[in-house]
Amino acid sequence: MSSLVAVSSESSSAGGSEWLLAGTNAGVFLSQDAGVTWGNVLPGNVEDIAADRTDPDTYYALIPGAPGQQLWVSQDAGQTWASRTIAGAPP
């Protein structure tokens, strides 16, 4: 069973107000129909997920990985993700 880390509902230019993102210990899940159906768009144990306050299409997810923490960034309202290594993070 997955535990919920956070959920974000934002009005984005890519998805509109019916899109939801949830971070869980099984990954980031995206719903494009107000929560009726969900798809896993980023596997992993999500420690935190956040929306960018200045860009409604940008989201960040923190997933522990080797070496150190991995910051994942989506710039299309959660549809695709790219990893960024956090400088100075412990291994």
Side-chain angles (χ1 to χ4, degrees):
M1 175 186 277
S2 297
S3 60
L4 183 65
V5 174
V7 68
S8 179
S9 173
E10 296 290 330
S11 177
S12 72
S13 62
S17 60
E18 294 185 353
W19 284 34
L20 300 168
L21 279 175
T24 75
N25 61 3
V28 175
F29 289 80
L30 172 65
S31 174
Q32 299 176 8
D33 55 11
V36 176
T37 60
W38 293 86
N40 187 327
V41 293
L42 180 64
N45 184 9
V46 179
E47 262 186 33
D48 201 3
I49 188 168
D52 188 305
R53 294 181 185 183
T54 61
D55 182 356
D57 291 334
T58 300
Y59 290 86
Y60 305 93
L62 184 63
I63 298 176
Q69 301 289 326
Q70 291 289 317
L71 177 66
W72 290 81
V73 180
S74 173
Q75 295 180 305
D76 57 7
Q79 296 177 73
T80 61
W81 295 82
S83 68
R84 305 285 191 268
T85 299
I86 301 172

